[in-house]
Structures are given as structure tokens and as C-alpha cells.
Amino acid sequence: MPIYHAPIKDMQFILHNLLKVSEQEIPGFDELDRDFTGAVLEEAGKVATEVLLPLNAVGDTEGCVLENGIVRTPTGFDKAFEAMKQGGWTAMDCDPDYGGQGLPYVMHTAAQEAFVSANMAFNMYQGLTHGAYTAIHIHGNDEQKQKFLPKMVSCEWTGTMNLTEPHCGTDLGLMRTKAEPQDDGSFKITGQKIFISAGDHDLAENIIHLVLAKIPGGPDGIKGVSLFIVPKILVNDDGSLGERNAVSVGKIEEKMGIHGNSTCVMDYDGATGYLIGEEHKGMRAMFTMMNEARLGVGLQGYAQAEIAYQNAVAYAKDRLQGRAVTGAENPDGPADPLIVHPDIRRNLMDQKSFVEGARAFTYWGASLIDRSHKTGDAQAEGLISLMTPVVKGFLTDKGYEYATAAQQVYGGHGYIEEWGMSQYVRDARIAMIYEGANGVQALDLVGRKLAQDGGKHVMAFFEMVKTFISDNKGDDAFEKDFLDPLKAASKDLQAAGMYFMQNGMKNPNNALSGSYDFMHMMGHVCLGLMWARMAKAAQEALDAGDSDTAFLETKIATGRYYMARQLPATGMHLARINSGAETVMALDAANF
């Protein structure tokens, strides 16, 4: 059976050596000392390995079944979900006023990584609930919060987000789902939604659907969209469950992966719904949920690469194939282990350097969300807004790429289901698609986020990189290995931005044809910055006499690899961007 062990030492290094969480002036961070975070993560790791991992293959092979209008989840999911609820894992960073523990979001993020690596499909049941909780918590009225949030925090009730319809995905202005006003202030919701993760299941007493719909007479397009709470079972004024609402499951989608999660077609036939926020302002509330979900999906990308990497390393150390070109390293055996071969090393180093950089990038992003939400820091809010499409798009693209690379280490066994590697590849693939396909993330980054607030957030990021480089000069080896590559990559990124400014106005296709490359460039620069910071933090720990020299020296060596072998990709992306739109748009549609 595949293995997984939560990388707690690396998580702790990022929280304390890199982010120095307990020293940050953010409410609640002063309580995050090493002992406390270590205890939380150790327990999360045990749940991941002992409770969730054994069910990962079960969920993949059994899938979900629709029986008499009710979705049945795979064997063992109900007991595992109860363990998650009893352990308080669904409530970590939620508001104590509604039964939450009030921990920082960055701690929720770290724990979620372990759960996602061990069983991505299972974790989506609580993950979607957390997003729905956040939308109601920020945009709902007091009555709605009191009525729905306590049971959602505990996951006695779960939540969903309902956007997509059969004829519209990204272009939500085309939606047809209607919300007819009623005399009592409620609405009757009629329409069909598709691709609804955790749309129905047998793990909770009730499911609280957040549904986008149009109120008749409102503005055309996206400006006429509103958001509604539509419970599966109506909730009485005293909080007890009442009648079944007019919402049902049309079918369960048959998918490439995440079989353990029930992805449903949902039919609304005059279902009772309650408006969240203002009429025709539904996208504002939905994007609160989607932005959180996008960071979570970026985490899914590298978390699947992490478990795939762990198994690839174990296989490479165990599997005997051929001899090292420099001489036998296992002379008493018939062959050497795979890990002696340079191309296997390259493959594993690609995976390792990506995953550890992605983890640092994601935790840093989570700390920006904490800073924004807990202190009202507009700069942190602007920076995480800029980074969100990069976290989602770059980390899921690369997460899938490196899950596939891990599968490659196994040779033919990687293609055989019993070894488990196929599932990681199949599960990782969806992360590039949902919560906004990655091409849309790139368009959002270049078309909206770069110019947001007059471009001050991207300029602040460039200044952050520049300041780090200037503040850390003086060590020749550090400059050569880390600062010089980071400076070169940052210059590539700025050159790409300049190309867009000079050529995108007269022909927007020049910018949009290069948007995907720009998203990857920015992802590489962000991971390059993370690796330079981590190398500095590791060296400081070594200089201070930290006894874990093997871990710290490995960290520096892994960062050196990323800077030398991965970061130069920015040059390739810049060359593509500078080629403009001509070759991209050259063919007539009929010639494809």
C-alpha cells in the first residue's frame, strides 16, 4: 500500500524559521510557538496516516453511488468524517462565536495539507464547507449566521458552492437559474447546476448549498447575479430540521479522479432560498469563497505531488535496476537501486525542490490572508489578491506535472493501478480545471491583477525582491547560488511586464497570448524568493548551532538545485512572451 508521512519537520521550518510566526504582529500569532504548532501538526499527521490514507484507494475504487435519491459515500468515509469532527479539525480557524477554535488560517492550511495528501477526495467534504462558512460569515446577516454557522463549523451540516450550469462555466453571466421573490422575503430557486463537489452525501444531517441565480428584472450578464442559501432540508426558526427542500440530485458525474467525492448534477425545482447580501451583488460574496478555495486548490496541487514524491523516493531506494556508471554501489546485490542513476536523481530533485518551495509559498500566502483579515492591512490584501491566480495556476500545473514525474520513476509499475501512483496523477488533474481553469487564472493575473490599484501591488512585489537581494549581499557563495539567479529571474519578469505595457494597449492579444507564460514566470520568481529566504534561514540556524545539520544542509542544497535548474525557465517564458500574438493568432478558425 502507498505510504504517507506528514512532512512535519519541513512544516515547522517554514512556520518558525522562515515565517517566524510567533514574532509577527498579527492577533493570535503570538500563541504559535514551536511546541504548540508541533503538537497540532503531529496529531494532524496521525489522522492523515492512520485514518484517511487507508481510505484513499477505497474511495478511488468504490466511488460514490446514488440510491433512491441519496448519495452513498465509500466504505469507511462516515467513520472517518466523524473522527474529523470529533477532533475539531473542521473548526480550527473558525470564529469562536460559532463554535470555532479561532486559530490562524495558516495553521488550518498546514493541517489541511496533511489531510489532502492522504485523501484529497475525502477532504473536499469539509473543505467546501469551510468556504461556504466563510462566505456566510462575511456576507450573511446576523440571523443567517446564527442559524447556519454553528452546525457548519462542526460539520454536522456541510456546504457547497453552486456556480456552473450545463451551458456556462467561466461566463457566469450566461446562467439561467432563476430566483423568484416571495412575499415572506425568501426566493424560489429554479434551475440546474453541474459539477457540484460534495453536492449530496450521507456524511451530514443537512447540506447548505450556496447558489448563484438571477432575480428577474435585474441587470443583464454578471451584474444581475445574486447569491442564495438553499438548504437541502429547511431549517426551522428554533434550529431544528423541517421539510425536505425542492432540491435533488440528477446524477453523479463519472470522473477521471477524486472518485471518493460526490460530484453531482443538482436540480432546483422551486427550492426555497435566502438572499446573501444585496440583490445583484452575488459575485462579490461568491468570490470571497472562491478566492479561499483557489488557495486551497493550489495546496491540492503540491499536496498530491508530495505524496507521489514520498512513494517515488521509497521505490527508487528499493528497486534494483542496472549499475551506477561510476561503479557498483550495491556490489553484493544483482544491481544497484534506481536512485544511483543521475536521471532518477534529476527527476526526484525536480519534485522535491518544487514541493518544498510550493509549501513555503502557500503558507506565506495564508499568513497574508491572516494579516489582511485580522489587522485590515490593505497591502497584505492587495498582495494576496495578486498572488491568488499564481498560487492556483502555477502550483496545480506543476503539481500535476510532478505527480506524473513521480509515476515515471516506477516505470511500468507506475501505470498499474495496484501501485497507487495512477490515482495521484488522476486526482491532481482536476486541480488545474476547477475553481477557474488555469488559463482563466492567467488571464485574471495579466488582465486584472497587474493593473489593480494602479499596479502598486506588483510593484510592491518587485520591490520586495529587490530589497531582499540588496539586504543580503556580502556572502559570495549566497550571492552566486541564490541572489544572482533571483535577480536575473526578477528582471525577466519585469521585462515581460514592460512588454505588456508597450504592446498590450495597441493590441491586447499581445498581452493575453503571453498570459500563461507570465503566470509561470511569476510562479518561478515567487518560489525563487521562497528558496532564497529558506536558504538564508537554514544558514542562520546552522550558524546558531542548530543540531539538525543534515536537514538544514539538505534544505540549502535543494534550494541551490531549484535556483540552478528550475528558475532559468523564466528566460524561456520571456522569449515566448516577446514573440507576441502574431504566431498565436495566425490561423483562421477553419484551419485548426
Side-chain angles (χ1 to χ4, degrees), residues 231-276:
K232 174 183 175 179
I233 301 172
L234 295 172
V235 181
N236 298 320
D237 291 339
D238 63 0
S240 62
L241 295 180
E243 298 178 356
R244 174 69 186 257
N245 207 352
V247 53
S248 60
V249 180
K251 69 171 184 175
I252 300 175
E253 302 284 8
E254 294 187 19
K255 310 185 297 293
M256 175 180 175
I258 54 170
H259 297 149
N261 195 267
S262 53
T263 307
C264 299
V265 173
M266 303 300 300
D267 294 320
Y268 295 87
D269 187 18
T272 298
Y274 309 96
L275 179 70
I276 299 180

Side-chain angles (χ1 to χ4, degrees), residues 141-220:
N141 59 39
D142 288 341
E143 180 184 354
Q144 290 169 341
K145 293 177 187 178
Q146 293 294 338
K147 193 171 192 176
F148 296 106
L149 292 188
K151 293 294 181 84
M152 294 177 73
V153 167
S154 67
C155 269
E156 293 171 77
W157 302 347
T158 60
T160 70
M161 52 195 296
N162 286 234
L163 290 78
T164 307
E165 299 183 7
H167 57 281
C168 72
T170 300
D171 191 354
L172 292 172
L174 298 175
M175 73 174 55
R176 297 172 184 160
T177 300
K178 293 287 189 292
E180 297 279 355
Q182 304 299 300
D183 292 340
D184 63 357
S186 67
F187 291 77
K188 292 297 183 184
I189 312 298
T190 302
Q192 186 179 79
K193 299 289 184 176
I194 63 171
F195 306 155
I196 309 307
S197 299
D200 194 81
H201 53 82
D202 55 2
L203 303 178
E205 297 174 338
N206 201 4
I207 301 173
I208 310 304
H209 301 289
L210 297 192
V211 183
L212 286 178
K214 288 186 172 182
I215 300 172
D220 292 334

Side-chain angles (χ1 to χ4, degrees), residues 311-323:
N311 283 275
V313 169
Y315 186 84
K317 290 179 178 179
D318 182 68
R319 176 74 165 175
L320 302 181
Q321 293 282 283
R323 289 294 188 188

Side-chain angles (χ1 to χ4, degrees), residues 352-369:
K352 179 177 174 63
S353 63
F354 163 72
V355 167
E356 293 180 15
R359 178 175 298 117
F361 184 34
T362 303
Y363 289 16
W364 176 60
S367 73
L368 289 175
I369 291 175

Side-chain angles (χ1 to χ4, degrees), residues 295-313:
L295 187 135
V297 172
L299 183 150
Q300 287 181 337
Y302 82 79
Q304 287 303 289
E306 167 67 39
I307 188 171
Y309 165 74
Q310 288 190 20
N311 283 275
V313 169

